[in-house]
Amino acid sequence: MTIKKTSALHEKDGVSQPETTSKESAQKIKINRRKHPSTDEFVEKILVGDITFLSRAITLVESTNEKHQQKANEILERCLPYTNNSVRIGITGVPGVGKSTFIEAFGRYLTSQGKKVAVLAVDPSSSVNKGSILGDKTRMEELVTDKNAFIRPSPSGTSLGGVAQKTRESIILCEAAGFDTIIIETVGVGQSETAVHSMVDFFLLLKLFGAGDELQGIKRGIIEMADAIVINKADGENIKKAKIAKVEFARALHLYPPKESGWQPKVMTASALNNIGIEEVHEMIMKYIDLAKESGYFNKKRNDQNKHWLFSTIEQQLKTRFYDNPKVKEVLQQEIKNLESSKTTPFNSAKRLLDLS
Amino acid sequence: MTIKKTSALHEKDGVSQPETTSKESAQKIKINRRKHPSTDEFVEKILVGDITFLSRAITLVESTNEKHQQKANEILERCLPYTNNSVRIGITGVPGVGKSTFIEAFGRYLTSQGKKVAVLAVDPSSSVNKGSILGDKTRMEELVTDKNAFIRPSPSGTSLGGVAQKTRESIILCEAAGFDTIIIETVGVGQSETAVHSMVDFFLLLKLFGAGDELQGIKRGIIEMADAIVINKADGENIKKAKIAKVEFARALHLYPPKESGWQPKVMTASALNNIGIEEVHEMIMKYIDLAKESGYFNKKRNDQNKHWLFSTIEQQLKTRFYDNPKVKEVLQQEIKNLESSKTTPFNSAKRLLDLS
């Protein structure tokens, strides 16, 4: 570009840049990055399995911007009728149990069978700095390059309710985009298992053999939720120990009351690293799904989960509204002090605070 | 009475009734039944241990009339400074385990030691028709005539939150009236154990030996809450079986994570019917109380319980307000139908409902 006008202002000629992308790619990116694709466009693209639009829709779901959320809600309601042919599997286990390796092996087995697999996560403690689960995608380096797999790290956030809601909404979008198997990973410590359990059809607990007393140290609630326990790293010299652990877990599971589904939780061994037992785990899950669909429990559970999420969202929001009320914030600390010094009862305190809102 | 006037109306003389109460009693009843004793009068009488006023104050606490509740709240706040020298013991166990007999024996042992014992109950399922726990006072016929014991059935109500709140407030009144040991009975099925656990210093689970598999069928959560398990009906031929059960329970308890108090839950045997083991149970509880007071855990727990009740009352009320809102009631059923037919997501439904309130 040459400046033609004679003027006190003078600008040097720029150096022309080499083309870094093909015209075609540039055009595609431009279209995709257009500020506001319509809801129609989003839905249309998601339904044909466009991963870029799927990702962008999930970003809208995860956004705290009100306009984004409104758009996300519109997209979600439009995608909802396409979500019923999926299987949702929750996978948990403490750090070190080999969750990523297992999910990679399991996911690759599924894609080899013609399935389309989405891997999502719920980890309320994760953040950019702390590194979320699945954030380090190199941990699943083969699955991540598989065109029939879609991997998305945990949404950030400190409130489990918020994080779980976003993951749950992302499930809907993934299913509308044609992913028929959704794996939800959770970190195996804290309350996130309960949240994940209430959004999946099948809940799998990964364990190691012989990590001290087999019963002690396991959160009982998590065992109670499990539809299956898979003892991972059952290879080489470990096989014998893994088999002993299997017997112990099976015995422990028998102590729990029967599940509403009528399913007796299974214990299996596997070695994700060596691709051993992966197919068997999948067969077992499909057997469960078939039984649950036949008995009607599958649909009943999804309905119950929807209602659970309706009520828990309402209750969470009611609390947030209340405790975020500036008048409540002002008085709450004083009421707690009065409680501690026996100047008031919890019920009188509550009444005074409720009268403020 | 003779009718003097000549009139078309004629009334026969009544038959005079014999005096059924002494003048003194009648006078006392009249004073006590005076419509509105002042808050001052209530507090004064309760603090000198007047059982009639204690009972009437509890009736105010249990009333749903707003004026009564306001008065109850005034009385409660005035009584509160007098509640810190008590021991609050929760007792649970399934029907048939001998709770009434145990509480009678335990209560009578305590009064024989110069203690003043109040027995309250939490049973949200109870009603006049179904017969509440403790409602049938003949089940504790000796304790009920003991002037150092005060027995009050479960307040009626179907909401556990409401029933538990009333019991919790009654504790305050009983303690202000000089009762130094408060026993809270709960029926051993359902959620009321958690409520009782959160209002007592010590939580005791009554069990029978050999009722099938010792672990199966017990609600795990209840065992986890127990500070002690007492195996009742350990007498005659049963002693051996009870001792075996004791060993099994002790082993089971070891599988649970340690308690915040540092206390290792105890397992004991007793025969309430034969007054065997009752003194030992009391000694064990007092040992716990001494340790907990020494470590500061006793006060910490009571403080935590107060805060728990503050927050749970607030949250309960927020929900009640919301779901009782006529606009919400009108729309909720439609939203649930839309959820079931996949026309909306739980989160969109929740948003629409929240916007109504």
Side-chain angles (χ1 to χ4, degrees):
Chain A
M1 187 171 76
T2 319
I3 291 171
K4 298 258 163 99
K5 280 197 278 181
T6 39
S7 154
L9 293 167
H10 180 79
E11 198 175 2
K12 273 206 175 163
D13 284 5
V15 177
S16 79
Q17 296 290 322
E19 298 243 340
T20 51
T21 49
S22 72
K23 282 212 171 139
E24 209 181 311
S25 304
Q27 184 60 18
K28 201 175 156 197
I29 288 170
K30 264 186 199 160
I31 289 173
N32 286 345
R33 283 279 158 85
R34 208 169 56 192
K35 273 233 162 113
H36 304 293
S38 66
T39 301
D40 280 348
E41 201 174 348
F42 262 113
V43 174
E44 190 186 304
K45 295 280 189 181
I46 290 170
L47 291 182
V48 296
D50 185 313
I51 297 298
T52 311
F53 272 81
L54 170 62
S55 292
R56 291 184 67 191
I58 293 179
T59 304
L60 288 180
V61 158
E62 292 178 353
S63 167
T64 52
N65 176 307
E66 205 164 308
K67 273 191 184 167
H68 293 172
Q69 287 193 341
Q70 203 182 326
K71 183 152 223 160
N73 284 341
E74 288 170 23
I75 298 168
L76 283 164
E77 285 203 336
R78 297 270 304 273
C79 285
L80 205 57
Y82 305 92
T83 58
N84 281 328
N85 283 316
S86 63
V87 173
R88 303 169 184 166
I89 302 167
I91 297 186
T92 190
V94 294
V97 77
K99 275 196 302 299
S100 298
T101 315
F102 183 86
I103 291 171
E104 168 139 287
F106 189 61
R108 283 179 60 75
Y109 171 76
L110 289 166
T111 58
S112 79
Q113 300 294 306
K115 301 274 183 196
K116 289 190 70 185
V117 180
V119 183
L120 308 173
V122 172
D123 178 8
S125 68
S126 80
S127 74
V128 176
N129 290 330
K130 288 190 280 175
S132 78
I133 356 179
L134 296 178
D136 179 8
K137 287 192 185 179
T138 56
R139 293 189 307 151
M140 296 187 193
E141 48 192 13
E142 292 190 355
L143 194 60
V144 85
T145 60
D146 190 325
K147 74 174 177 36
N148 286 318
F150 174 75
I151 300 183
R152 178 94 182 187
S154 176
S156 61
T158 48
S159 130
L160 171 59
V163 170
Q165 173 180 339
K166 289 168 189 171
T167 300
R168 201 167 189 286
E169 292 179 336
S170 302
I171 295 176
I172 293 168
L173 299 175
C174 291
E175 292 179 354
F179 290 94
D180 49 30
T181 311
I182 315 291
I183 296 173
I184 318 286
E185 178 181 357
T186 176
V187 77
V189 287
Q191 289 300 304
S192 52
E193 287 72 23
T194 312
V196 170
H197 179 253
S198 66
M199 61 176 84
V200 298
D201 306 313
F202 192 94
F203 195 68
L204 187 86
L205 170 62
L206 283 183
K207 286 294 299 173
L208 293 182
F209 56 84
D213 182 324
E214 294 304 349
L215 277 170
Q216 193 134 20
I218 305 173
K219 299 209 168 191
R220 249 145 254 277
I222 294 178
I223 294 199
E224 213 152 347
M225 288 188 290
D227 295 304
I229 296 178
V230 172
I231 299 159
N232 195 21
K233 304 193 182 175
D235 42 38
E237 292 175 1
N238 300 332
I239 291 177
K240 203 177 156 189
K241 289 185 205 157
K243 285 193 176 156
I244 294 170
K246 182 180 162 178
V247 173
E248 286 181 25
F249 278 119
R251 196 190 302 144
L253 281 178
H254 269 285
L255 292 176
Y256 289 85
K259 286 186 172 273
E260 197 196 338
S261 56
W263 173 257
Q264 173 64 43
K266 302 287 178 287
V267 186
M268 305 180 79
T269 58
S271 167
L273 203 63
N274 299 305
N275 259 308
I276 299 169
I278 301 301
E279 189 179 341
E280 288 77 5
V281 169
H282 180 245
E283 270 169 21
M284 181 255 310
I285 293 175
M286 290 320 291
K287 195 176 153 196
Y288 169 86
I289 299 291
D290 288 346
L291 284 170
K293 283 194 171 169
E294 214 173 286
S295 71
Y297 181 75
F298 187 89
N299 281 329
K300 181 186 178 297
K301 187 173 176 182
R302 284 207 174 174
N303 257 331
D304 289 350
Q305 288 177 338
N306 277 334
K307 277 184 242 167
H308 163 82
W309 284 97
L310 169 64
F311 292 118
S312 77
T313 305
I314 287 172
E315 284 149 28
Q316 194 54 52
Q317 272 301 312
L318 289 173
K319 283 199 264 179
T320 304
R321 277 190 194 170
F322 180 80
Y323 292 113
D324 283 355
N325 179 329
K327 280 185 271 176
V328 170
K329 275 187 179 167
E330 201 184 309
V331 178
L332 182 62
Q333 289 315 312
Q334 188 55 48
E335 288 292 344
I336 288 177
K337 272 185 203 150
N338 290 345
L339 262 187
E340 285 175 347
S341 52
S342 287
K343 282 188 193 134
T344 182
T345 69
F347 307 105
N348 278 352
S349 252
K351 193 174 176 301
R352 276 190 294 270
L353 287 162
L354 286 160
D355 285 346
L356 295 174
S357 75
Chain B
M1 187 171 75
T2 318
I3 290 170
K4 298 262 164 87
K5 281 197 274 176
T6 37
S7 155
L9 293 167
H10 179 78
E11 198 174 3
K12 272 207 175 162
D13 283 6
V15 177
S16 78
Q17 297 290 323
E19 297 243 340
T20 51
T21 50
S22 72
K23 283 216 170 134
E24 209 181 311
S25 304
Q27 184 60 19
K28 202 175 155 195
I29 289 169
K30 266 188 199 159
I31 290 173
N32 285 346
R33 285 278 159 85
R34 207 170 58 193
K35 273 234 164 114
H36 303 294
S38 68
T39 301
D40 280 348
E41 201 175 347
F42 262 114
V43 174
E44 190 185 303
K45 294 281 190 181
I46 289 169
L47 292 181
V48 296
D50 184 314
I51 298 298
T52 311
F53 272 82
L54 171 61
S55 291
R56 292 185 66 192
I58 293 179
T59 303
L60 288 179
V61 158
E62 292 178 356
S63 168
T64 51
N65 175 307
E66 206 165 305
K67 272 190 182 168
H68 293 171
Q69 286 193 343
Q70 200 181 330
K71 184 152 223 160
N73 284 341
E74 287 170 24
I75 298 169
L76 283 164
E77 287 203 337
R78 298 271 303 274
C79 284
L80 205 58
Y82 304 93
T83 60
N84 280 327
N85 283 316
S86 64
V87 173
R88 301 169 186 167
I89 302 167
I91 297 186
T92 192
V94 294
V97 76
K99 277 197 299 300
S100 298
T101 316
F102 183 85
I103 291 171
E104 167 139 289
F106 189 62
R108 283 177 59 76
Y109 171 76
L110 289 166
T111 58
S112 80
Q113 300 294 306
K115 301 274 184 198
K116 287 189 73 185
V117 180
V119 183
L120 308 172
V122 172
D123 178 7
S125 68
S126 80
S127 73
V128 176
N129 291 330
K130 289 190 279 175
S132 80
I133 354 179
L134 295 180
D136 180 8
K137 287 192 185 180
T138 55
R139 295 189 305 150
M140 296 186 193
E141 48 193 12
E142 291 190 354
L143 194 59
V144 84
T145 59
D146 191 323
K147 72 174 179 36
N148 286 318
F150 174 75
I151 300 183
R152 180 93 181 186
S154 177
S156 62
T158 49
S159 128
L160 172 60
V163 170
Q165 171 180 340
K166 289 167 190 172
T167 300
R168 201 166 190 284
E169 293 180 334
S170 302
I171 294 176
I172 293 168
L173 298 175
C174 291
E175 292 178 354
F179 290 94
D180 49 30
T181 310
I182 316 290
I183 296 173
I184 318 286
E185 180 181 356
T186 177
V187 76
V189 287
Q191 289 299 307
S192 53
E193 288 72 24
T194 311
V196 170
H197 180 253
S198 67
M199 62 176 82
V200 298
D201 306 313
F202 192 94
F203 194 68
L204 188 85
L205 170 62
L206 284 184
K207 286 293 298 174
L208 292 182
F209 55 86
D213 183 325
E214 293 304 350
L215 277 170
Q216 193 134 20
I218 304 173
K219 298 211 166 190
R220 250 144 253 278
I222 295 179
I223 294 198
E224 212 152 347
M225 289 189 289
D227 296 302
I229 295 177
V230 172
I231 299 159
N232 195 22
K233 304 193 183 175
D235 41 39
E237 292 174 0
N238 300 331
I239 291 178
K240 203 178 156 190
K241 290 185 205 158
K243 282 191 177 157
I244 295 171
K246 181 181 162 177
V247 173
E248 286 181 24
F249 278 120
R251 198 191 301 144
L253 281 177
H254 268 284
L255 292 176
Y256 288 85
K259 285 183 172 279
E260 197 196 337
S261 56
W263 174 257
Q264 173 63 43
K266 301 287 178 287
V267 185
M268 304 180 81
T269 58
S271 167
L273 203 63
N274 299 304
N275 259 307
I276 298 168
I278 300 300
E279 188 178 342
E280 288 76 4
V281 170
H282 181 246
E283 269 170 21
M284 182 256 307
I285 295 175
M286 291 318 293
K287 196 176 152 194
Y288 169 86
I289 299 290
D290 288 347
L291 285 169
K293 283 194 170 169
E294 214 173 285
S295 71
Y297 181 75
F298 186 89
N299 280 329
K300 179 185 178 300
K301 187 173 177 182
R302 285 207 172 176
N303 258 331
D304 289 349
Q305 288 177 336
N306 278 334
K307 277 184 242 168
H308 162 82
W309 283 97
L310 170 64
F311 292 118
S312 75
T313 305
I314 286 173
E315 285 149 28
Q316 194 53 51
Q317 272 300 312
L318 289 174
K319 284 200 263 178
T320 304
R321 275 190 196 172
F322 180 79
Y323 292 112
D324 283 355
N325 180 329
K327 281 186 271 177
V328 170
K329 275 187 180 170
E330 202 184 308
V331 178
L332 182 62
Q333 290 315 312
Q334 188 54 47
E335 289 291 344
I336 288 177
K337 272 185 203 150
N338 291 345
L339 263 187
E340 285 174 348
S341 51
S342 288
K343 282 189 194 134
T344 183
T345 68
F347 307 106
N348 277 354
S349 252
K351 193 174 175 301
R352 276 191 294 272
L353 287 163
L354 285 159
D355 285 346
L356 296 174
S357 76

